[in-house]
Structure formats: C-alpha cells, structure tokens
C-alpha cells in the first residue's frame, strides 16, 4: 500500500532513498529529504506491506499536469518481487488524471513497467 511520507518516518525514508546511486552522499541525501519536506510540488510516498519496504518520490509539474518519478527504491531484500512495479501501478491509480513520467535516474526502471 502506498502511503504518504510523514516526518516520523524520516529515518526509514532516508535509508531507502540512500539506495539510489545519486543519493549515497549524506549531504545530498539530507538536501533531497529537505526538498521533499518543504517543496509543495515534491511528494514522497512509502510502500508498506508488513513493513515499509519501498519509496517513491515524485515532482508534480503543474504546467503539464504530470508527475515525474524522481526516486524509486526498494529494500534490497525485497527486490525482484515486483514491489517497484506495484508502487508505480498504485501511483498511476492514485493519480489517474495525470501522466506519469520518469527522469534520467528512473527511466530505465519505468520503461520496464508495462502499464506506464
């Protein structure tokens, strides 16, 4: 289930976000988290099954009414089980009126999702 990020889940979110190759540096990671917490067009979601095992970060583009997936990460012990695809599908269902796009960091994965 896709849930909205809350400040109380910051450590879990940072841990998942740190699996993204361009978020390995602590200062960069902290900056990204600040942007998700303060920028109204940046939204962070967590994927919860029994535990929180995935993260999806999007940027809303008002001009095109689209959501750009900026970050997508799954706990390594839950990879290759379709969690990432389920997260993207849930986002698409949640925002059926918006086009879902990827950036250069997420395009490779998003292209594998047959419903995007």
């Amino acid at each position: 289930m896709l849930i909205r990020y809350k400040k109380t889940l910051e450590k879990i979110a940072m841990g998942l976000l740190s699996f993204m190759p361009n978020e390995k540096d602590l200062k960069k990671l902290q900056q990204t988290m600040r942007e998700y917490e303060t920028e109204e067009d940046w939204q962070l979601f967590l994927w919860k099954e029994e535990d929180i095992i995935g993260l999806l970060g999007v940027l809303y583009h008002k001009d095109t009414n689209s959501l750009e997936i900026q970050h997508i990460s799954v706990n390594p012990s839950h990879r290759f089980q379709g969690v990432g695809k389920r997260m993207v599908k849930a986002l698409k269902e949640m925002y059926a009126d918006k086009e879902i796009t990827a950036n250069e960091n997420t395009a490779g994965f998003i292209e594998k999702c047959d419903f995007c």
Side-chain angles (χ1 to χ4, degrees):
M1 172 172 63
L2 211 52
I3 60 171
R4 288 190 186 274
Y5 166 79
K6 294 183 201 96
K7 184 75 171 163
T8 55
L9 302 171
E10 182 178 36
K11 286 187 175 142
I12 294 168
M14 285 181 75
L16 287 164
L17 195 56
S18 72
F19 292 124
M20 292 286 299
N22 58 341
E23 299 292 339
K24 297 261 183 236
D25 177 66
L26 182 59
K27 287 198 185 311
K28 171 73 171 105
L29 180 61
Q30 290 170 329
Q31 162 90 27
T32 300
M33 286 302 298
R34 256 191 315 278
E35 288 178 293
Y36 278 117
E37 291 170 358
T38 60
E39 298 293 325
E40 70 174 84
D41 292 337
W42 289 51
Q43 294 183 334
L44 197 58
F45 298 92
L46 300 170
W47 184 258
K48 183 173 179 159
E49 290 183 355
E50 289 176 19
D51 296 312
I52 294 172
I53 59 170
L55 170 142
L56 192 64
V58 299
L59 172 59
Y60 174 56
H61 294 285
K62 289 181 178 122
D63 56 336
T64 58
N65 194 36
S66 64
L67 292 174
E68 175 186 328
I69 297 177
Q70 301 188 113
H71 298 97
I72 187 161
S73 179
V74 175
N75 180 313
S77 62
H78 294 272
R79 290 186 183 162
F80 306 107
Q81 298 173 21
V83 174
K85 286 183 178 183
R86 288 197 302 274
M87 287 194 298
V88 174
K89 184 177 183 192
L91 181 74
K92 199 163 180 63
E93 289 169 359
M94 189 182 280
Y95 293 100
D97 63 324
K98 296 178 182 19
E99 180 185 1
I100 308 291
T101 63
N103 66 12
E104 67 275 359
N105 298 319
T106 59
F109 178 79
I110 301 305
E111 287 169 8
K112 295 176 187 172
C113 297
D114 53 355
F115 38 77
C116 292

